[in-house]
Amino acid sequence: MREVKRFETTLAGRQLVVETGKFANLANGAATVRYGDTVVLVTATATRKPKAGADFFPLSVEFEEKLYSVGKIPGGFIKREGRPSERAVLTARLIDRPIRPLFPDGLKNEVQVIATVLSVDQDASPDTVAMNGASIALAISDIPFDGPACAVTVGYVDGEYVINPTTEQKEKSRLHLVVSGTEDAVVMVESGSDILTEDEVLGAIMFGHEEIKRLCRFVLDIKAEIGLPKFDFSVEERDYSAPEAFLRSRIREALCVKDKHERGIALDDLQDAMMLEFGDSYAGDEQGLAELFKSVEKDVMRKMIINEGIRVDGRGVKDIRPIECEVGLLPMTHGSGMFRRGLTQALTITTLGALGESQKLDGLDLLEDSKRYIHHYNFPPFAVGEVGPSRVNRRAVGHGALGERALLPVIPNEIDFPYTIRLVSEVLTCNGSSSQASICGSSLSLMDAGVPIKAPVAGIAMGLIEEDGKFAILSDIQGIEDALGDMDFKVAGTKDGITALQMDIKVDGLSEDLLRSALAQAKEGRLHILEEMNKVMSEPRTELSPKAPRVFKIQIHPDKIREVIGVGGKVIQKITGTHGVKIDIEDTGLVLITAPDAASGEGALNDIKAIVMDPEVGQVFRGRVTRLLKFGAFVDIGFGKEGLCHISQIDTKRVAKIEDAVNIGDEIEVKIIEIDDQGRINLSRKALL
């Protein structure tokens, strides 16, 4: 057994406690991190030998939500946690992205990090607790790791930055920003904001990094006391000078083919030629030659940009690819928008539904059990001209969530616009920046549907090449610049400010000056894209799409809710069945009727009015005759309310026998002329003739 060790510090006024040696002692590294009453166990394990044939670093990260941590029993028949929720997938990505670049080049041992959430305090989010726990577990383990990279959440409340905001502060905050960094620099940012300026967002990043520096020193102190020596891993050194010279004399010509498809063919042909020329000399080392090809390709492309300002498609560093926009492409959908930038093309479809169709959430956040605005992102293999399985992976979930954050600040609230809104972005062709194209297409689609968004939102992906003490920031990066560059920096927003930001880097970190330059250049590109979008559609249609459902609202007294529902739901089922509508009733008495057309909605609305209203003299109804007596006819004016129309009130002329004027089942218009002390209703047909 390992000795139990306890380490303490404070973070945003709350105690942060790390315990090691108590749990999971067979893992290479394990730490239990407690922040407030949130407790997360994070483990790091690695295989003893490199993964056979691996041409990448095989790191996997899991974030396991345990519903017992918030005192909940899982729903469904099985009663155990199943597949990860979207939030668990997104948190696993948050842990993965800052630590992945900190493993040494050439490490091919499988490494797995698992964060198990044991207890959740709603004021202390387990996300950043798990992120910090991952760095601690890796730092004290024998796994080679150049960290730590620590993380905090930054809020913006009443013009002040707040570290790890509480639930109450989150409700007031205009910003939710997760920033991760080493002691020297920022390495990852993920944020959603309520249209903040570039300076406000940058201020939040640097404010968070000051706290990160202190956390990193805390982790380094733990490592110094109990950290294990890192195990050795070997990288075979071979002389590749001959194939390298072969490639360097030819690869620039292939790289400078402007068309992505044709460039891919040229590069593949060159790689085949290299294999044919040197395959016998390097028999059994095909993987080594393939890695050499990527290395030379990366080096030549980067030096072209740094030294000559030339990108592979001929653009300058700030140039945006040609843009094409279109709306109203699909006749039967509620809204559709297509956005194309270069080869990258996204088609987004808007669907509107009843509030009752909002997505139910069964996770660790007890304060959020549903959401009415949903953004999904699909990336089929044909988008890059490949064959493969068409499924939703972690990347698709992450890009969908980024689009959701980018547009959320401009979505109307449910009081002003009582609909569930679902956007689906279909990436049809991709050569980089597809997530940002989906955001642009989504803005167009929402406006096409007539959703009253506050302003259009556009997104742009920025890149970075840092080489030989020089750097170049690239606007609107394409696929090869993302794969071989040092940064993927996505910024989305309106003309007035930023709504979402996501940054991942592959170098040691970014300085404040470089971040400032990247944000300024991103703003310039974003405004250009918005200008192109505005040429097609700059504001929502004044009328909702004719294909969209209609919503009717009525406020009733909460005591009347049971009457609308009826015994066993019979009354509300009759209304929905008769008119083909959906009805949502809130505890406050707000009734929302979602109907396929105006006539159906008005019919259901009138039925509910008839149930809940107290009859008043002067009201007019179209009722059905239910009984005939010598002195008059009883008329049903709606849902059990019945009144007497006396024979003298049946017609303007004298009626001798009631049967001469009306029969049972007839529908007639009547007016309330009296309600006596016992609540009996007297009606008149004559008053309306």
Side-chain angles (χ1 to χ4, degrees), residues 521-662:
Q521 192 168 319
K523 179 180 181 180
E524 184 180 328
R526 184 176 81 245
L527 294 179
H528 167 74
I529 295 164
L530 282 168
E531 186 178 335
E532 292 299 308
M533 291 167 57
N534 288 342
K535 292 176 182 177
V536 174
M537 181 164 277
S538 59
E539 58 186 25
R541 298 192 191 279
T542 55
E543 296 290 333
L544 206 61
S545 164
K547 298 292 189 299
R550 266 42 187 174
V551 174
F552 297 79
K553 295 190 288 186
I554 180 173
Q555 182 68 48
I556 67 174
H557 194 283
D559 292 345
K560 297 284 188 177
I561 293 176
R562 68 181 65 184
E563 295 179 35
V564 174
I565 295 173
V567 178
K570 289 183 178 179
V571 174
I572 198 168
Q573 288 172 12
K574 181 180 178 182
I575 299 173
T576 57
T578 300
H579 300 287
V581 300
K582 294 177 181 177
I583 298 176
D584 297 300
I585 305 178
E586 298 182 5
D587 293 340
T588 60
L590 178 63
V591 181
L592 297 171
I593 303 163
T594 307
D597 52 56
S600 301
E602 288 168 359
L605 182 65
N606 290 334
D607 284 353
I608 291 173
K609 285 180 177 178
I611 297 169
V612 301
M613 73 176 188
D614 295 320
E616 295 179 2
V617 172
Q619 289 177 329
V620 176
F621 297 92
R622 185 167 186 81
R624 184 174 60 84
V625 176
T626 57
R627 289 182 291 158
L628 296 178
L629 299 174
K630 288 183 179 181
F631 52 82
F634 282 92
V635 181
D636 182 355
I637 59 175
F639 288 88
K641 290 184 175 64
E642 199 174 58
L644 173 66
C645 187
H646 192 270
I647 194 169
S648 63
Q649 296 294 325
I650 286 289
D651 205 334
T652 52
K653 59 181 183 290
R654 182 177 180 278
V655 177
K657 293 175 61 178
I658 192 68
E659 291 86 351
D660 293 339
V662 292

Side-chain angles (χ1 to χ4, degrees), residues 112-387:
Q112 184 177 50
V113 175
I114 298 177
T116 306
V117 183
L118 303 176
S119 175
V120 174
D121 174 353
Q122 297 298 316
D123 279 338
S125 172
D127 303 10
T128 50
V129 176
M131 294 173 74
N132 292 319
S135 269
I136 295 168
L138 287 164
I140 65 175
S141 76
D142 62 345
I143 302 170
F145 178 65
D146 299 330
C150 294
V152 295
T153 301
V154 183
Y156 193 52
V157 182
D158 298 328
E160 299 288 336
Y161 297 120
V162 179
I163 297 292
N164 291 356
T166 63
T167 299
E168 183 179 351
Q169 290 170 327
K170 286 178 184 176
E171 291 176 354
K172 301 176 183 177
S173 180
R174 296 182 60 206
L175 171 73
H176 178 82
L177 181 143
V178 177
V179 57
S180 179
T182 63
E183 196 173 359
D184 300 320
V186 174
V187 298
M188 189 215 72
V189 179
E190 179 99 20
S191 82
S193 54
D194 184 18
I195 314 180
L196 297 182
T197 67
E198 279 71 14
D199 285 342
E200 288 170 329
V201 173
L202 180 60
I205 294 171
M206 303 320 298
F207 183 79
H209 190 235
E210 288 302 312
E211 196 68 28
I212 285 170
K213 293 177 185 178
R214 194 179 63 79
L215 280 176
C216 286
R217 290 192 289 270
F218 171 64
V219 176
L220 289 170
D221 289 342
I222 297 174
K223 177 184 176 181
E225 182 171 339
I226 64 169
L228 300 174
K230 302 303 183 182
F231 64 69
D232 293 326
F233 67 97
S234 59
V235 179
E236 185 180 357
E237 297 289 342
R238 291 198 63 176
D239 181 10
Y240 293 106
S241 55
E244 182 175 348
F246 174 89
L247 289 174
R248 286 190 180 277
S249 66
R250 296 165 173 81
I251 201 165
R252 181 181 175 119
E253 182 181 351
L255 274 172
C256 289
V257 175
K258 292 184 179 181
D259 181 80
K260 176 190 177 182
H261 179 66
E262 293 178 3
R263 182 171 62 247
I265 293 174
L267 289 169
D268 287 345
D269 288 346
L270 179 58
Q271 186 167 359
D272 291 343
M274 176 194 68
M275 291 295 188
L276 185 63
E277 180 80 14
F278 298 98
D280 291 341
S281 303
Y282 292 84
D285 191 24
E286 289 78 8
Q287 182 179 321
L289 286 176
E291 290 179 0
L292 171 70
F293 186 91
K294 279 296 178 188
S295 175
V296 173
E297 178 188 10
K298 178 177 180 178
D299 184 61
V300 172
M301 186 206 78
R302 293 162 66 87
K303 282 185 166 55
M304 283 170 52
I305 293 172
I306 285 290
N307 298 327
E308 304 171 51
I310 298 174
R311 300 167 74 172
V312 294
D313 59 359
R315 283 185 291 150
V317 293
K318 290 187 176 182
D319 293 342
I320 310 297
R321 290 171 289 179
I323 291 171
E324 178 188 352
C325 305
E326 193 173 346
V327 296
L329 296 89
L330 305 175
M332 295 303 293
T333 62
H334 300 161
S336 57
M338 185 278 290
F339 180 87
R340 186 203 306 270
R341 182 166 50 216
L343 269 180
T344 299
Q345 179 188 39
L347 173 67
T348 300
I349 295 90
T350 299
T351 307
L352 304 177
L355 284 178
E357 295 181 278
S358 60
Q359 183 178 353
K360 307 302 178 188
L361 304 175
D362 188 18
L364 304 184
D365 190 342
L366 298 179
L367 303 178
E368 186 180 22
D369 59 1
S370 66
K371 61 179 181 179
R372 59 177 276 269
Y373 160 57
I374 307 155
H375 186 269
H376 290 149
Y377 167 101
N378 294 322
F379 192 98
F382 64 73
V384 285
E386 295 178 357
V387 175

Side-chain angles (χ1 to χ4, degrees), residues 399-687:
H399 283 357
L402 178 60
E404 200 164 283
R405 284 196 306 276
L407 289 156
L408 184 60
V410 303
I411 297 292
N413 63 51
E414 66 178 67
I415 296 175
D416 296 332
F417 193 72
Y419 288 88
T420 291
I421 306 167
R422 182 185 182 226
L423 298 178
V424 180
S425 291
E426 306 284 0
V427 178
L428 305 179
T429 313
C430 183
N431 185 21
S433 306
S434 62
S435 66
Q436 304 310 288
S438 78
I439 290 169
C440 299
S442 295
S443 283
L444 294 168
S445 180
L446 285 165
M447 292 189 291
D448 180 52
V451 178
I453 61 173
K454 297 174 186 175
V457 175
I460 185 170
M462 310 295 294
L464 171 71
I465 303 294
E466 198 168 14
E467 193 93 9
D468 301 329
K470 297 182 285 186
F471 71 86
I473 298 171
L474 310 179
S475 294
D476 180 27
I477 57 174
Q478 55 186 313
I480 192 171
E481 294 167 338
D482 184 5
L484 304 181
D486 295 323
M487 175 180 76
D488 183 12
F489 191 12
K490 304 180 179 79
V491 186
T494 68
K495 64 180 179 61
D496 296 319
I498 294 171
T499 57
L501 186 151
Q502 184 181 89
M503 183 191 77
D504 296 300
I505 66 170
K506 302 169 191 174
V507 290
D508 292 337
L510 294 185
S511 66
E512 180 176 356
D513 288 343
L514 209 158
L515 277 169
R516 188 182 303 278
S517 298
L519 283 169
Q521 192 168 319
K523 179 180 181 180
E524 184 180 328
R526 184 176 81 245
L527 294 179
H528 167 74
I529 295 164
L530 282 168
E531 186 178 335
E532 292 299 308
M533 291 167 57
N534 288 342
K535 292 176 182 177
V536 174
M537 181 164 277
S538 59
E539 58 186 25
R541 298 192 191 279
T542 55
E543 296 290 333
L544 206 61
S545 164
K547 298 292 189 299
R550 266 42 187 174
V551 174
F552 297 79
K553 295 190 288 186
I554 180 173
Q555 182 68 48
I556 67 174
H557 194 283
D559 292 345
K560 297 284 188 177
I561 293 176
R562 68 181 65 184
E563 295 179 35
V564 174
I565 295 173
V567 178
K570 289 183 178 179
V571 174
I572 198 168
Q573 288 172 12
K574 181 180 178 182
I575 299 173
T576 57
T578 300
H579 300 287
V581 300
K582 294 177 181 177
I583 298 176
D584 297 300
I585 305 178
E586 298 182 5
D587 293 340
T588 60
L590 178 63
V591 181
L592 297 171
I593 303 163
T594 307
D597 52 56
S600 301
E602 288 168 359
L605 182 65
N606 290 334
D607 284 353
I608 291 173
K609 285 180 177 178
I611 297 169
V612 301
M613 73 176 188
D614 295 320
E616 295 179 2
V617 172
Q619 289 177 329
V620 176
F621 297 92
R622 185 167 186 81
R624 184 174 60 84
V625 176
T626 57
R627 289 182 291 158
L628 296 178
L629 299 174
K630 288 183 179 181
F631 52 82
F634 282 92
V635 181
D636 182 355
I637 59 175
F639 288 88
K641 290 184 175 64
E642 199 174 58
L644 173 66
C645 187
H646 192 270
I647 194 169
S648 63
Q649 296 294 325
I650 286 289
D651 205 334
T652 52
K653 59 181 183 290
R654 182 177 180 278
V655 177
K657 293 175 61 178
I658 192 68
E659 291 86 351
D660 293 339
V662 292
N663 294 303
I664 293 175
D666 287 352
E667 289 191 358
I668 60 174
E669 282 199 341
V670 291
K671 180 179 181 179
I672 298 177
I673 57 174
E674 181 188 17
I675 302 174
D676 66 18
D677 294 341
Q678 298 181 41
R680 291 178 297 194
I681 300 170
N682 290 317
L683 305 170
S684 172
R685 179 169 174 258
K686 181 172 70 174

